[in-house]
Structure formats: C-alpha cells, structure tokens
Amino acid sequence: MSQQRVPAWVSVGVLSTMNIGLAFLVSAILFYYLDIKPLDAAEIMWYGAFGTGEGIGFTLYYATGFIFTGLAVAVAFHAGLFNIGGEGQAYIGGLGVGLVCLLLGDLLPFALLLPLAIIAGGLFGAAWAFIPAWLQAKRGSHIVITTIMFNFIAASLMAYLLVDVFKPPGSMATESRVFAVASWLPKMSELAAGVGMTLPNSPLNISFFWALVCALLVWLFIWHTRWGYQVRAVGASASASAYAGISYPGVVILAMVISGMLAGFFALNVLQGELHQIKLNFVEGFGFTGIAVALMGRNHPVGVIIASLLFGFLYQGGAELSFEFGVDRNIVVVLQGLVILFCGALEHMLRPRIEQAYLAIARRPSLPVKGV
C-alpha cells in the first residue's frame, strides 16, 4: 500500500488559515494590553475595511499596490532570487510614469498617455533591476546585497531630482508640479458615474484591473511558457538546470527584469491614480511589504491577490482602529509583523500536527450504509 499524500489544499489553505488565526490570537493579547476589547477591535477593523463602499475602495486601492510588489517578489523567488529591491524599483518606476505625465500630459490624449505610462513605469523599474541582476549573473554579487544598496541609491536619486530638478520655482515642498488632468487615471467612482451608477469616492482607480491582468500574465508566464519553465528549473536547482543546458545568467536577468517591471507598475496606482504628482517617499514601504505578500501567497498569483487583500484590510482597518481608539497608527506595522512572523518564520510550526490530523481522518473507515 503506497503512502498516502497530504493534498495541497491542506498544506496551503488550512495551514495558512491556522497561521493567520494564530497571528490574530496574539494580536488579541496585544489589544488586551492596550485596554481594547479584541472583538471590538476586530469589528472596527472589519467595518473600516469592508463595511462601507468607501472602505472597500481604500482596501482595494492598497491591495492594488501590494499585488504589483507581491508579484514582483514572487517572480524572482521562482528563480531562486530574493529581490529586496522592490522599494527602489517602484520608486524609479515612478520616475518613468512621472516623466510621461509631466512632459506629455498636455500634449497627448489619455488613450496614448496610459500605454506610454505603463511602458515607461515598467521599463524604468526593469532597468533598475537589471543592474543587480547583471552583477549577480556575471560578477557573482549577491542579489540581496545589491538590491538593498540600490534601494538607498534610488531614494537618494529621487530626493535629488525632487529638490533640484522637478520642484516648481518658489515651492518648498519636495514634490513635482501636479500632472495635467488629462493624464490622471479614472477612478472607479467616475467610471460608475459614467454608466449611471453611484459609488462612494475613494482612491481606487483602473490600475486595479491592470494589476489583475498582470497576475494572469505572471501565471501564464511561469507555468505555461518555456521561459517560465526555465525560471522554475533554475529556482529548483541551478546546477541541474545548467547540466540540462539552461543558461543561468540569462534566467537571472530575465526573472529580475520582469520583477523590476512589475514593481515599476506600482507607480501607476499611486502617482497617476491618486497623488497626481511625484512626491518624496511615495512608495511608503509597499516594496518591502510585497515580500510578505509573496511569502503568504506562496509565490502564486492567486495567493498574492488573496494576501494583498489581507494586507489591504490591515492597512485600512488599522487606520479606522487608530481613529476610533486613538492608538498609534503604527499598530498596523505590529499587526503586519505578527502575520509575517506566523506565516513566514513560523510557517511550518503547525504543519506536522495538521497533516497528522488529516491523515488520521482520511484513514478512518466510512460508516456502513444500511441495507447493503
């Protein structure tokens, strides 16, 4: 009799749900310490994130950014690469989107501006990822070190540009001028109004649809193309894939360039969709949180979307919690840290017991049917 295997839905679905439950259980202890009833906190967070149309809009707006950065990390992971440079790649992607909107916003119609902004954001993010990828593939420099360094370089470069190049004359704020209205991404509330529907106003814009398209394209690329197979082969075993004739440098550069491109798309949501100008530190840590999103989503596009919704819930629900109870806004960071701790560092803590419980239930003989 062959050994019974544990299905994927147990290892992925049940295990992840239990880990998230543990994170929320520890969060409840934290709320008790802050003299907040955990059930009241959960109710406030749920209502703030999903209880109103405006809250849902903000939650999906945050989730859109996490989808882009989470997919960026996931693609690199499949090649065995730990891309910690999503923050810098998203920052430089914003430079590309901003240049298109600043230089061409008054000259071209939106139908041309949108694809140009998508291309520019992707190319700038990909170019920023290409350099660490080349150093890893050709010079042996570790991708973790180089991508971290390039985050700081990107921040310094953008600070210089916003202070000495893009800042309007007479302004003291480290930000560019406002983009031309023709370049702004339509918001969902505006689209709904165009077809006679009414949606509460929120930052949610059409880049949400592009994020879903990118998730679909990543799924097709990783699991249904020859290049995706090569990426997964290198991630599984670089030496075995080299023996099979797969170019390790080529795969590293390909995976990192696609990763940087996806991170660069983040600027569409924030700059072109909401801020309508380049601002200092507009990424706000979303590039780093994308690492947790990819880990929680098991580097699968569907998992990344679900994890992005969870982190969007934490962002929007945490803001509502801060408003209602007056706790520090950084409570969101603590909640994120607990989720990352139990779904990342302690991911396999409950795995043996969950798998043993499933196997025990699966081996249990079914009850006989009367009359048979």
Side-chain angles (χ1 to χ4, degrees):
M1 180 178 178
S2 60
Q3 184 177 2
Q4 188 171 1
R5 298 181 61 183
V6 177
W9 65 267
V10 173
S11 300
V12 177
V14 176
L15 181 61
S16 297
T17 302
M18 293 295 291
N19 286 332
I20 294 173
L22 278 179
F24 287 160
L25 180 62
V26 176
S27 301
I29 299 174
L30 172 64
F31 288 132
Y32 267 121
Y33 177 77
L34 296 174
D35 292 329
I36 301 173
K37 294 181 179 179
L39 291 179
D40 291 343
E43 182 181 358
I44 290 295
M45 291 183 67
W46 182 264
Y47 180 80
F50 299 112
T52 64
E54 183 183 12
I56 293 174
F58 272 92
T59 300
L60 293 179
Y61 166 74
Y62 293 132
T64 301
F66 290 133
I67 291 173
F68 286 129
T69 56
L71 289 174
V73 175
V75 170
F77 265 139
H78 280 292
L81 304 170
F82 196 7
N83 179 18
I84 309 185
E87 191 86 359
Q89 293 149 19
Y91 220 163
I92 299 301
L95 176 60
V97 172
L99 286 174
V100 169
C101 295
L102 289 171
L103 298 178
L104 302 175
D106 292 317
L107 303 176
L108 298 177
F110 179 76
L112 293 177
L113 285 171
L114 178 58
L116 285 176
I118 292 174
I119 293 171
L123 285 179
F124 274 62
W128 202 249
F130 171 80
I131 305 173
W134 186 88
L135 292 172
Q136 164 90 14
K138 300 294 186 180
R139 310 298 298 176
S141 302
H142 202 287
I143 200 74
V144 171
I145 303 301
T146 53
T147 50
I148 290 176
M149 294 171 63
F150 268 69
N151 285 336
F152 289 101
I153 297 173
S156 300
L157 174 62
M158 293 297 287
Y160 163 74
L161 291 174
L162 287 172
V163 171
D164 293 337
V165 178
F166 292 128
K167 186 172 70 173
S171 173
M172 297 298 292
T174 52
E175 59 192 28
S176 72
R177 64 177 173 85
V178 177
F179 302 156
V181 176
S183 66
W184 296 5
L185 291 184
K187 295 184 177 180
M188 294 299 188
S189 56
E190 298 170 353
L191 292 180
V195 295
M197 297 175 59
T198 301
L199 288 180
N201 189 34
S202 73
L204 182 63
N205 55 76
I206 63 171
S207 65
F208 174 71
F209 297 127
W210 179 239
L212 298 180
V213 170
C214 288
L216 174 62
L217 293 176
V218 167
W219 175 74
L220 291 172
F221 170 77
I222 294 295
W223 282 279
H224 294 276
T225 67
R226 175 171 60 89
W227 302 284
Y229 173 79
Q230 292 177 351
V231 166
R232 289 184 288 120
V234 169
S237 175
S239 57
S241 60
Y243 183 77
I246 298 175
S247 171
Y248 175 77
V251 168
V252 168
I253 292 175
L254 175 64
M256 282 299 296
V257 164
I258 294 176
S259 180
M261 177 185 66
L262 290 165
F265 291 150
F266 170 85
L268 297 168
N269 182 46
V270 177
L271 295 189
Q272 199 175 1
E274 171 60 13
L275 298 178
H276 305 140
Q277 59 184 158
I278 307 175
K279 289 192 175 185
L280 193 66
N281 195 31
F282 69 86
V283 184
E284 294 184 333
F286 273 62
F288 293 119
T289 308
I291 300 173
V293 170
L295 287 173
M296 281 195 60
R298 303 298 180 94
N299 303 316
H300 192 285
V302 175
V304 167
I305 292 173
I306 295 173
S308 297
L309 289 173
L310 172 63
F311 277 86
F313 160 75
L314 292 177
Y315 257 65
Q316 177 58 20
E320 189 72 18
L321 189 70
S322 176
F323 176 77
E324 288 291 333
F325 292 103
V327 296
D328 194 293
R329 183 68 170 82
N330 288 326
I331 189 68
V332 177
V333 180
V334 177
L335 297 178
Q336 285 182 348
L338 289 172
V339 171
I340 294 169
L341 174 65
F342 284 98
C343 296
L346 302 178
E347 175 187 3
H348 301 292
M349 180 175 65
L350 298 177
R351 179 184 291 274
R353 293 186 179 277
I354 291 176
E355 292 183 348
Q356 289 172 6
Y358 169 80
L359 292 175
I361 295 173
R363 292 193 192 104
R364 185 179 299 171
S366 59
L367 295 175
V369 180
K370 289 185 177 181
V372 178

